[in-house]
């Protein structure tokens, strides 16, 4: 039998707080709940952002070659800051895109997906008390990552200006108010996070909008974390402009990319950062002391994927030309299908996401007044449980203080097989019919 003093000391130990202070208030996460709901109930999953079609053959073949090709060293550690063939080809590729010479060893670093690139950036560049400007709506992990680094997020919204001619809204109709943006910069501002093309809206920032952000960064000596994971996914002849190519911006910008998004292989978790050594040297310190490096085999295969793309650059056979073409078609199907049932889509100029207005479907899902849960969360949960269709509530991409202003929208991912999009259309059509006949 346990002695009294032993059970006392065990209890005393258990009452000590186990959680580090930096985790306070960031323990809730939309993905845990919605990924589980989709796995349990969905017949058609347009929720989380990943393709359900295969990665291109040239990429999976490169992986198989790396695995069985006789170079057994590909099963061992590689260089911490990036497998040499991958950083070399990334440097060559980005030299072309940015029009400047790059050193593969100091201007490029490989990470475990863009996610870890973001984590390295916030840990390396943000200090206690620093302010970080985040444009709403935003990829949700920016906020907890800033807080974990001890920084204070400062939010500035993209404001919708619906077209007056009754046309469908476009992601381009969501804009920053220049005076409001300028008012967020102060001597406490260390970083602004830019995500163009933007998840969840699909907005592709124009040269004018980027110019405004660049001007403020230079004026206030602010850094820019530029999350460009959807750089190749732009539609209707739009051009993705890299803020690092604007005057005064290279020295203060870290560009983030993702092989997951670029080559439709999100499970590989290969990402990268490109930027000046004065910033990357500090990212290397974080990376070295946390993750060390990303799987060698995956890096080798991605390097070969980029070598192919470098050779085919701008040609019709290039995956970076073909993928957006295919996705634009899928976007158009989903736009048509949602517009047809009155779930008004906001036409995205980029990414593989589309935000739609659920106002006309609200009567099916009653609101619960004074609930802590935003209405769009309730709607998305109801939809997956009752209709088998999974999507993500838009307010998940807003800060706590602003969630309640954006509860009429849900986000769909359209990087899906034709059959998946058809099945989604069938669900929506049937739902609409039930509504009109009831
Ligand atoms: N940034 C944005 C804007 C994203 O949407 C995502 C993935 N959903 C990431 C970063 C993370 O990318 P990865 O899968 O390469 O970690």
């Amino acid at each position: 039998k346990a002695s009294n003093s032993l059970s006392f000391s065990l209890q005393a130990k258990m009452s000590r707080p186990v959680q580090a202070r930096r985790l306070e208030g960031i323990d809730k996460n939309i993905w845990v709940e919605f990924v589980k709901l989709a796995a349990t109930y969905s017949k058609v999953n347009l929720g989380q952002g990943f393709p359900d079609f295969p990665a291109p053959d040239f990429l999976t073949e490169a992986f198989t070659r790396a695995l069985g090709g006789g170079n057994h060293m590909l099963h061992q550690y590689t260089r911490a800051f990036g497998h040499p063939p991958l950083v070399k080809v990334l440097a060559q590729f980005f030299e072309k895109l940015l029009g400047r010479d790059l050193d593969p060893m100091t201007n490029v670093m490989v990470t475990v997906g863009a996610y870890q690139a973001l984590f390295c950036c916030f840990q390396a560049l943000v200090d206690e008390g620093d302010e970080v400007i985040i444009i709403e709506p935003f990829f949700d992990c920016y906020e907890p990552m800033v807080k974990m680094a001890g920084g204070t997020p400062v939010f500035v919204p993209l404001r919708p200006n619906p077209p007056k001619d009754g046309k469908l809204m476009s992601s381009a109709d969501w804009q920053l108010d220049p005076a409001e943006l300028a008012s967020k910069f102060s001597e406490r501002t260390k970083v602004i996070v830019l995500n163009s093309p933007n998840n969840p809206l699909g907005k592709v920032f124009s040269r004018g909008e980027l110019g405004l952000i660049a001007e403020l960064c230079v004026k206030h000596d602010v850094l820019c974390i530029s999350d460009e994971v959807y750089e190749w996914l732009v539609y209707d002849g739009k051009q993705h402009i890299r803020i690092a190519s604007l005057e005064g911006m290279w020295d203060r910008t870290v560009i983030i990319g993702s092989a997951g998004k670029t080559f439709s292989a999100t499970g590989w978790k290969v990402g990268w950062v490109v930027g000046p050594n004065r910033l990357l040297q500090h990212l290397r310190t974080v990376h070295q002391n946390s993750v060390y490096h990303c799987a060698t085999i995956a890096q080798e295969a991605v390097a070969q994927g980029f070598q192919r793309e470098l050779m085919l650059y701008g040609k019709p056979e290039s995956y970076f030309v073909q993928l957006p073409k295919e996705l634009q078609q899928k976007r158009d199907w989903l736009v048509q299908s949602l517009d047809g049932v009155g779930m008004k889509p906001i036409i995205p100029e980029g990414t593989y996401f589309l935000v739609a207005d659920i106002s006309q479907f609200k009567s099916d899902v009653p609101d619960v007044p004074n609930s802590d849960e935003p209405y769009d969360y309730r709607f998305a949960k109801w939809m997956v449980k009752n209709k088998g269709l999974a999507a993500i509530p838009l307010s998940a991409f807003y800060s706590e203080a602003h969630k309640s202003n954006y509860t009429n929208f849900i986000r769909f991912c359209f990087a899906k097989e034709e059959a998946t999009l058809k099945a989604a259309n069938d669900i929506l059509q049937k739902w609409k019919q039930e509504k009109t006949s009831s």
Side-chain angles (χ1 to χ4, degrees), residues 56 58-59 62 65 85-94 96-97 108 110 228-229 231-232 242 257-263 268 270-272 274 298-313 318-320:
F58 67 82
L59 192 78
R65 267 199 311 277
L86 181 55
V87 287
K88 276 183 198 152
V89 72
L90 280 168
Q92 280 178 299
F93 210 95
F94 276 85
K96 223 175 173 53
L97 300 176
V108 183
V110 177
E228 304 185 24
V229 298
E231 59 193 319
W232 299 107
R242 293 174 173 77
S258 163
K261 306 294 176 177
T262 298
F263 288 116
W268 289 22
V270 177
W272 55 83
V274 174
Q299 292 194 61
E300 172 72 19
V302 171
Q304 293 189 25
F306 265 106
Q307 279 154 15
R308 175 193 188 267
E309 287 303 303
L310 194 58
M311 238 162 47
L312 297 176
Y313 186 73
S318 157
Y319 191 67
F320 299 168

Side-chain angles (χ1 to χ4, degrees), residues 404-429:
S404 57
N405 300 335
Y406 296 92
T407 56
N408 272 350
F409 300 95
I410 51 176
R411 188 201 76 173
F412 294 101
C413 171
F414 56 82
K416 304 293 169 186
E417 298 274 19
E418 201 177 322
T420 313
L421 295 171
K422 286 216 164 100
N425 182 52
D426 291 347
I427 291 175
L428 289 165
Q429 292 290 342

Side-chain angles (χ1 to χ4, degrees), residues 49 112-116 118 139 141-142 195 197-199 227 229-230 256-261 266 269-271 353 411:
V112 181
Y115 222 100
Q116 193 231 333
L118 287 162
F139 180 45
C141 72
Y142 301 158
N195 174 215
N198 159 279
N199 174 12
D227 181 341
V229 298
Y230 301 104
I256 294 179
S258 163
K261 306 294 176 177
T266 57
K269 294 299 287 184
V270 177
F353 300 114
R411 188 201 76 173

Side-chain angles (χ1 to χ4, degrees), residues 221-239:
D221 192 17
V222 164
L223 304 175
C224 179
I225 298 175
S226 185
D227 181 341
E228 304 185 24
V229 298
Y230 301 104
E231 59 193 319
W232 299 107
L233 308 185
V234 286
Y235 311 122
D236 307 322
K238 268 231 122 133
Q239 204 199 344

Side-chain angles (χ1 to χ4, degrees), residues 78-342:
T78 184
R79 179 175 166 268
F81 310 121
H83 188 47
L86 181 55
V87 287
K88 276 183 198 152
V89 72
L90 280 168
Q92 280 178 299
F93 210 95
F94 276 85
E95 276 180 354
K96 223 175 173 53
L97 300 176
L98 295 166
R100 68 165 55 242
D101 289 342
L102 295 177
D103 174 1
M105 300 300 150
T106 59
N107 295 135
V108 183
M109 182 174 85
V110 177
T111 54
V112 181
Y115 222 100
Q116 193 231 333
L118 287 162
F119 188 76
C120 282
C121 286
F122 291 120
Q123 287 293 316
L125 306 175
V126 176
D127 238 330
E128 297 281 334
D130 286 345
E131 289 186 357
V132 176
I133 298 175
I134 297 177
I135 300 168
E136 288 181 309
F138 58 93
F139 180 45
D140 61 295
C141 72
Y142 301 158
E143 183 180 0
M145 283 196 191
V146 168
K147 287 182 174 162
M148 248 192 287
T152 306
V154 172
F155 300 99
V156 60
L158 288 165
R159 295 193 178 275
N161 306 293
K164 295 197 175 55
D165 51 11
K167 274 201 202 141
L168 287 176
M169 217 195 294
S170 144
S171 56
D173 295 323
W174 290 61
Q175 287 168 2
L176 289 166
D177 173 332
E180 189 177 21
L181 176 66
S183 76
K184 304 291 177 183
F185 282 76
S186 74
E187 69 277 7
R188 290 182 302 280
T189 314
K190 182 74 183 288
V191 174
I192 183 167
V193 187
L194 172 69
N195 174 215
S196 180
N198 159 279
N199 174 12
L201 279 174
K203 180 182 171 67
V204 178
F205 283 67
S206 69
R207 188 172 289 280
E209 290 170 316
L210 295 175
L212 180 70
I213 295 169
E215 213 175 278
L216 288 164
C217 285
V218 172
K219 181 172 166 199
H220 295 275
D221 192 17
V222 164
L223 304 175
C224 179
I225 298 175
S226 185
D227 181 341
E228 304 185 24
V229 298
Y230 301 104
E231 59 193 319
W232 299 107
L233 308 185
V234 286
Y235 311 122
D236 307 322
K238 268 231 122 133
Q239 204 199 344
H240 169 59
I241 298 165
R242 293 174 173 77
I243 196 165
S245 66
L246 270 54
E247 204 183 331
M249 288 307 287
W250 165 256
D251 279 334
R252 54 182 73 253
T253 303
V254 182
I255 301 172
I256 294 179
S258 163
K261 306 294 176 177
T262 298
F263 288 116
S264 307
T266 57
W268 289 22
K269 294 299 287 184
V270 177
W272 55 83
V273 290
V274 174
N277 187 42
R278 79 168 189 123
L279 301 182
L280 259 62
Q281 63 179 322
H282 305 299
L283 271 60
R284 289 198 292 270
T285 308
V286 177
H287 183 73
Q288 167 89 55
N289 292 301
S290 50
V291 164
Y292 191 67
H293 82 60
C294 168
T296 310
I297 289 252
Q299 292 194 61
E300 172 72 19
V302 171
Q304 293 189 25
F306 265 106
Q307 279 154 15
R308 175 193 188 267
E309 287 303 303
L310 194 58
M311 238 162 47
L312 297 176
Y313 186 73
K315 300 213 170 99
E317 309 92 283
S318 157
Y319 191 67
F320 299 168
V321 173
Q322 281 174 353
L323 181 64
K325 256 199 193 153
E326 282 169 28
L327 285 171
Q328 182 170 323
Q329 167 101 64
K330 291 175 189 297
R331 176 199 68 169
D332 294 344
W333 281 337
L334 188 60
V335 163
Q336 251 180 21
S337 145
L338 289 166
D339 191 29
V341 295

